[in-house]
Amino acid sequence: MTTGVIPGGHNPEPRPTGERMPQQRHQPGQASPHVETRSRSSVITARAAATFEPVGRSVATARSFVRDTLQGWGFADVVDDAVVLTSELVTNAVVHAGTHADVLCLRTDDGVRIEVADRYPEREVPLQGSAVNMGSPDREGGRGLQLCAALAARWGVEYTSTHKNVWFQLDLPERPVGTRAAGPSLPADLLPLADGRVRVAVVQIDRKGSISAWNEDAEEIFGHTATEVTGKPLTDLAAWPHTPGTGTGIAEALQLSRWEGSYGIRGADGRVTPVYASHLRVRDTGGEPSTVCLLVRDHERAVLQTPLRLPASDAGGSSDGQSSDPFEVFIGSPAPDDLDGLLQRTVERARDMLDGDSAFLLLATDDETELEVRASTGLPSARQRFARVPVEAGPGRYGSARMPAVHDDLAAVPGAVPLLAGTGMRSVVTVPLKVEGRLTGSLGVAAEAPGRYSNEEALRLQFAADRIALAVESARLGELERLRRGSLSFLVEASDLLAGTLDRDQTLALMAQMTVPTLATWCAVYTIADQASDPYLSYVLHEDEELIDGIKSLLAKVPPPDPVPTPGARVWTAPGEHAHQAALRSSMRSLGLTGGPTRQVSAGIGPTLATASAVGGETVVLPLVARNRVIGMLTLGKPTDEHFRQEILELAEDLSRRAALALDNARLYSEHTAISQALQRSLLPPGTPHIEGMEVEVIYRAAGEGNEVGGDFYDVFPIDDNAYGFAIGDVCGTGPNAAAVTGLARHALRLLAREGLSGPAVLERLNSAILDEGARSRFLTLLYGEMRPQEDGSAEMKVVCAGHPLPLRLRQDGTVEAAAEPQPLLGVIEDLELYEQTVTLDPGDVLLCVTDGVTERREGTRMLGDDGLADVLTTCTGLTAGAVAARIMRAVERFASDAPSDDMAILAMRVPGLQKD
């Protein structure tokens, strides 16, 4: 991959001006959607370009390149769409078209343009028209242009004689610039109360997001001195709410001209202090931008919070006679630009409007059968967030969702509002949020005293709910769309990662690492070996590594979930219940309430309570089903009092299907590899026998990853009390057929030699056996011989060389000569007339036998050859058989820099003599 980044300037056109735009054919009166309509005067402020090779891994590299580029430019809002579109277009180029892909990113003031060009201009694109079918979105391929039409603001296709270029334009969403409203004066008795001195922390953030100023009140509130925090990024201290679907992050908030909201600051003691903040964007005298942040403790937010705007009738009317927007009156200005901010502002204003102690807002699920808690104030929000209650029927139903309702005393009707159970609230008023008659949510305000609300308050709250229902629904749909696009990008990268490995353990690790912390706080993977086996805990991961061992120990004591093949997530309560009971027992023992010792268990209370808190929230189990069989379970968990959103569970279900197939593929690959290696090992000789009066050494190397046996083979075996057979051969071809001939040859040699047949007779019968294999037969080069150690210290060798590289004899004086003559190879003709030759090895002589993988070792146009092998052998005078074989192998490996591409076998036999000092 080659890349380049070019700073800004005016757009000089991304393609040469001499190129002609293609003539797009379309029906009269219809506009082709991929014909470029953008203005040619766009100002390009930055460029980034890269070229990717036509290999599968380039798709993932291209996605990373686009993601890193856009995030570096601050275009986080369009990253997911850009990554999905780029992935499809680069896949078309490098996988389907099989060419290089050129990716060009162009930044403008209002968006980004990305161009993907390939070297296959003949490929056609569908034209817009009534008779043209863009294809099904469920197809695995061919969706690149369809996605461009769905996601991009503008897109098009350009042709040259050598390239086809597909481009798309993504526009940035508009962000409102906030302004502050002034409220009327209030009597002293209506002003908010503050405990003691109100401290306002003043923190200034430079253009890089680092702290440049930190006043004394900030030191008092958070415990950090100015010296400790100056120069550090604000993100190191800010506990920003990382809520899925939240559109505004801390980096975006610091770039707005004015922003208000709540978050947390980590103090010197490690605790998070909730604060209410007001951000103002300013420039110094040198023109450098920075942000001034005013921070107060959250319960003192009235010091900074923007007051409500009153209706024109209450304020005495405006000078121009125009009334204020009802939505703006209730929400205030500026309105939050993300769903969570809008919902939180809504419940706070509803509570203040009815002078309540708490307020809450629930949103309906897609099927409108349940309501999900999305915002609350004055309630334990961590416990209630994303909790669900049924609307119509069932235990804990929310019966008052579709109509306004007032409950004077919840003590008299327990369970009427399940959300408020155990909170101390007595009276409550709830109203529905409806859009075009469809239930979209419910808004409620509660008080600790009974009888606080009447029908008049219900009508006021319903009026406010009607004003904000459409805005809430619009924001909810926008959040859902962002989540779906982000989910698509997440699944694309997850599939790519899972497809990139066939190792079972690595697949398990990837499954867990992709879910934590993106989808869950902790994860456990159970695997099932076969239908008769119980689920086995294979992998555990938590976002805090210190808690992994505790969760693993806890789950080991809990019976695994049942392997139910029904799709979808199901709640599993056993871990939370077991963790709660274990923590309770540890606490009781530490207090001496069980009569046992206290010192020995008190040290373990901390980890026990931490584990109970980690798994104390909602835990769900998703089956891992592959090829109609449950092969495991994916368990996802949240910490205490947290719940999963339905969108997250749907994404986890999609991931579990992909992960199950990847895990099963890894299992099948491991099984096939084990079978292959077992069969290969069965083709190797059981061992080299000890021969009195002879040194024998064998070195064998099979080419190819994971291969233990190739087309080359060897064997040394006893024939009778004083005779031993040896063989070295090379079967034509590779794969199972060659391995079958290898096994046939080795076992036939042993059997025929022990029948008392001579060397030529053994090879002639082996030749007949190979020819009998018919189409599966392979021709074979074979060097076969019999050795007999003599009483005078020499050794007699009877050798038959059937088409194999000739054996070499090394004498004590360093001379090297061929020890046999070439004869026809086996497996080609039926009637062979072979003969054997006798060679006598004197003490210190060596007989070297090799396969052609040794002599045909190449480096460019050079080849080791028979002469090169003989030259190496002359340097081995006086060496043992093992040293001779090792020196030959080193010489072969060093002859070329590349790994050997052919099997190699080296058989060295030596009559002991005087060794070289």
Side-chain angles (χ1 to χ4, degrees):
M1 181 188 76
T2 57
T3 62
V5 179
I6 310 170
H10 289 278
N11 182 9
E13 294 303 322
R15 293 282 172 249
T17 56
E19 295 178 4
R20 298 180 57 189
M21 292 293 293
Q23 297 296 325
Q24 303 286 351
R25 294 179 297 172
H26 56 277
Q27 299 296 329
Q30 293 181 338
S32 179
H34 52 270
V35 174
E36 183 177 3
T37 59
R38 67 184 180 94
S39 172
R40 292 286 181 174
S41 61
S42 299
V43 176
I44 295 176
T45 57
R47 300 184 182 204
T51 299
F52 302 93
E53 298 178 354
V55 292
R57 64 177 181 273
S58 294
V59 180
T61 309
R63 285 198 299 266
S64 300
F65 165 71
V66 172
R67 182 182 299 277
D68 294 343
T69 299
L70 299 192
Q71 287 179 343
W73 289 349
F75 286 0
D77 293 308
V78 298
V79 163
D80 288 333
D81 288 354
V83 167
V84 169
L85 294 177
T86 303
S87 180
E88 290 290 337
L89 297 179
V90 173
T91 299
N92 290 341
V94 303
V95 176
H96 302 305
T99 76
H100 285 74
D102 301 325
V103 179
L104 175 64
C105 301
L106 303 175
R107 183 183 70 183
T108 63
D109 294 334
D110 55 355
V112 62
R113 172 184 166 115
I114 297 179
E115 302 179 1
V116 179
D118 62 41
R119 317 288 174 82
Y120 190 43
E122 293 84 0
R123 292 182 65 85
E124 297 180 355
V125 297
L127 301 178
Q128 181 69 12
S130 58
V132 177
N133 182 12
M134 291 287 282
S136 169
D138 296 328
R139 292 175 52 196
E140 290 299 323
R143 299 176 299 189
L145 301 182
Q146 188 177 7
L147 286 174
C148 286
L151 301 180
R154 293 178 296 280
W155 66 282
V157 183
E158 300 173 352
Y159 290 93
T160 70
S161 59
T162 58
H163 289 73
K164 181 188 72 180
N165 180 49
V166 182
W167 64 268
F168 59 88
Q169 176 85 25
L170 297 174
D171 295 336
L172 293 178
E174 296 183 0
R175 292 190 177 276
V177 178
T179 57
R180 184 178 295 276
S185 60
L186 294 176
D189 57 346
L190 297 180
L191 295 176
L193 296 176
D195 299 333
R197 175 189 170 189
V198 176
R199 297 185 179 274
V200 179
V202 181
V203 182
Q204 191 160 0
I205 312 299
D206 62 21
R207 65 185 308 167
K208 297 180 180 179
S210 300
I211 299 172
S212 59
W214 183 270
N215 72 340
E216 294 181 358
D217 281 356
E219 296 183 9
E220 182 67 25
I221 296 175
F222 307 119
H224 298 290
T225 65
T227 304
E228 293 173 345
V229 299
T230 300
K232 289 186 177 180
L234 182 61
T235 53
D236 289 356
L237 302 180
W240 197 263
H242 297 286
T243 304
T246 300
T248 303
I250 186 168
E252 289 84 357
L254 292 174
Q255 297 298 320
L256 298 177
S257 61
R258 189 181 293 274
W259 182 89
E260 284 187 20
S262 299
Y263 51 92
I265 296 292
R266 294 184 181 88
D269 57 359
R271 297 183 178 180
V272 175
T273 301
V275 298
Y276 190 84
S278 176
H279 297 176
L280 177 64
R281 192 76 166 157
V282 299
R283 285 193 305 167
D284 59 20
T285 56
E288 290 293 323
S290 62
T291 302
V292 177
C293 305
L294 304 181
L295 311 174
V296 296
R297 292 182 175 90
D298 193 59
H299 65 274
E300 298 172 345
R301 62 169 54 201
V303 176
L304 299 178
Q305 190 171 20
T306 301
L308 290 172
R309 285 191 178 185
L310 298 178
S313 57
D314 296 340
S318 60
S319 58
D320 56 4
Q322 296 181 354
S323 61
S324 302
D325 179 16
F327 171 78
E328 190 175 90
V329 169
F330 182 69
I331 294 299
S333 178
D337 60 350
D338 62 277
L339 177 62
D340 288 314
L342 177 61
L343 299 183
Q344 192 61 36
R345 181 80 64 87
T346 298
V347 295
E348 291 171 357
R349 298 299 163 85
R351 178 199 60 187
D352 297 340
M353 183 178 71
L354 298 188
D355 193 23
D357 296 312
S358 64
F360 52 90
L361 191 148
L362 302 90
L363 292 184
T365 56
D366 291 340
D367 56 5
E368 300 179 13
T369 61
E370 291 182 307
L371 291 172
E372 183 180 63
V373 181
R374 291 301 303 271
S376 64
T377 181
L379 295 174
S381 57
R383 177 170 64 87
Q384 304 292 351
R385 187 169 178 79
F386 301 127
R388 293 191 170 199
V389 292
V391 175
E392 300 295 349
R397 69 185 182 90
Y398 198 93
S400 59
R402 298 188 183 276
M403 296 292 292
V406 177
H407 298 279
D408 291 328
D409 192 351
L410 292 178
V413 281
V417 184
L419 176 63
L420 301 179
T423 61
M425 299 297 159
R426 297 286 297 276
S427 56
V428 60
V429 54
T430 60
V431 296
L433 300 176
K434 293 184 177 181
V435 176
E436 297 180 351
R438 182 173 59 87
L439 178 68
T440 61
S442 178
L443 176 63
V445 178
E448 295 179 353
R452 284 281 301 273
Y453 302 113
S454 62
N455 290 339
E456 180 180 354
E457 281 82 5
L459 292 177
R460 289 178 60 196
L461 189 61
Q462 183 66 71
F463 179 80
D466 293 340
R467 302 286 76 75
I468 59 103
L470 184 59
V472 169
E473 179 66 5
S474 177
R476 186 185 73 85
L477 293 176
E479 178 200 55
L480 184 60
E481 182 66 18
R482 288 192 298 272
L483 283 174
R484 286 175 177 172
R485 293 184 179 183
S487 299
L488 180 59
S489 177
F490 172 79
L491 291 175
V492 166
E493 297 196 20
S495 300
D496 190 56
L497 288 172
L498 290 171
T501 178
L502 287 173
D503 182 82
R504 175 183 176 276
D505 294 336
Q506 188 174 2
T507 302
L508 291 172
L510 284 174
M511 290 170 56
Q513 291 166 6
M514 285 185 293
T515 56
V516 177
T518 305
L519 305 181
T521 305
W522 63 273
C523 165
V525 182
Y526 290 85
T527 55
I528 303 175
D530 51 58
Q531 299 290 351
S533 302
D534 294 329
Y536 173 74
L537 182 62
S538 299
Y539 202 90
V540 176
L541 183 66
H542 191 281
E543 61 182 6
D544 186 353
E545 294 183 357
E546 295 182 356
L547 297 177
I548 293 177
D549 291 338
I551 296 178
K552 188 181 299 183
S553 176
L554 171 69
L555 294 179
K557 302 174 183 177
V558 178
D562 296 329
V564 179
T566 306
R570 53 192 174 94
V571 177
W572 187 32
T573 60
E577 294 174 352
H578 191 88
H580 176 73
Q581 294 172 3
L584 182 60
R585 288 194 298 268
S586 296
S587 299
M588 294 178 65
R589 285 197 299 266
S590 67
L591 298 174
L593 300 179
T594 60
T598 60
R599 292 183 180 179
Q600 298 179 359
V601 299
S602 59
I605 294 177
T608 302
L609 294 178
T611 302
S613 176
V615 302
E618 188 174 33
T619 302
V620 296
V621 178
L622 298 102
L624 298 175
V625 181
R627 298 176 176 89
N628 299 321
R629 186 174 74 88
V630 180
I631 63 171
M633 286 88 70
L634 178 64
T635 304
L636 306 178
K638 288 281 190 179
T640 301
D641 298 332
E642 290 195 20
H643 301 269
F644 286 99
R645 295 186 60 183
Q646 184 62 28
E647 294 83 359
I648 297 298
L649 293 179
E650 292 173 356
L651 180 58
E653 185 177 357
D654 288 338
L655 176 64
S656 68
R657 288 196 292 268
R658 290 162 170 79
L661 187 59
L663 184 61
D664 200 46
N665 288 339
R667 177 187 64 83
L668 292 174
Y669 178 78
S670 299
E671 291 179 356
H672 291 170
T673 300
I675 293 172
S676 174
Q677 291 176 348
L679 292 176
Q680 289 187 67
R681 283 192 292 269
S682 70
L683 300 178
L684 294 173
T688 302
H690 174 72
I691 303 175
E692 188 70 29
M694 290 293 296
E695 297 176 2
V696 179
E697 182 66 25
V698 178
I699 296 181
Y700 183 81
R701 296 286 188 273
E705 183 179 357
N707 290 335
E708 294 188 23
V709 177
D712 294 2
F713 69 96
Y714 71 93
D715 200 1
V716 179
F717 56 91
I719 297 176
D720 54 38
D721 293 340
N722 194 39
Y724 296 85
F726 63 91
I728 183 168
D730 186 1
V731 179
C732 173
T734 58
N737 289 333
V741 176
T742 298
L744 171 65
R746 193 176 68 80
H747 291 94
L749 285 175
R750 288 195 173 211
L751 178 64
L752 295 172
R754 288 169 178 171
E755 290 294 325
L757 299 177
S758 65
V762 169
L763 267 61
E764 288 168 1
R765 296 196 180 188
L766 174 60
N767 180 65
S768 299
I770 293 174
L771 292 174
D772 289 343
E773 291 293 308
R776 296 180 300 176
S777 66
R778 294 287 189 275
F779 65 79
L780 167 68
T781 68
L782 180 63
L783 173 63
Y784 172 75
E786 297 178 0
M787 72 175 80
R788 287 180 171 82
Q790 304 298 314
E791 294 181 357
D792 60 357
S794 64
E796 182 184 79
M797 303 286 195
K798 294 184 178 181
V799 182
V800 181
C801 185
H804 198 77
L806 300 179
L808 299 179
R809 175 181 180 178
L810 172 64
R811 295 181 181 273
Q812 273 284 64
D813 59 3
T815 59
V816 174
E817 60 185 5
E821 296 177 354
Q823 301 184 59
L825 50 78
L826 308 182
V828 178
I829 58 178
E830 294 184 359
D831 297 327
L832 283 180
E833 294 184 2
L834 303 175
Y835 57 91
E836 65 183 7
Q837 296 172 273
T838 301
V839 179
T840 301
L841 297 184
D842 297 325
D845 289 356
V846 175
L847 185 68
L848 177 67
C849 309
V850 300
T851 58
D852 58 6
V854 174
T855 57
E856 295 180 2
R857 176 74 162 147
R858 295 180 180 273
E859 173 71 15
T861 59
R862 298 186 307 118
M863 185 172 72
L864 180 62
D866 296 334
D867 294 338
L869 178 63
D871 292 340
V872 177
L873 185 58
T874 57
T875 66
C876 299
T877 304
L879 298 181
T880 64
V884 171
R887 178 169 292 187
I888 298 297
M889 179 56 71
R890 284 199 303 271
V892 172
E893 291 175 342
R894 293 173 180 174
F895 186 80
S897 57
D898 296 336
S901 59
D902 195 4
D903 306 326
M904 293 186 294
I906 300 173
L907 172 60
M909 295 171 286
R910 179 178 181 270
V911 179
L914 295 176
Q915 295 188 13
K916 187 177 180 179
D917 293 335

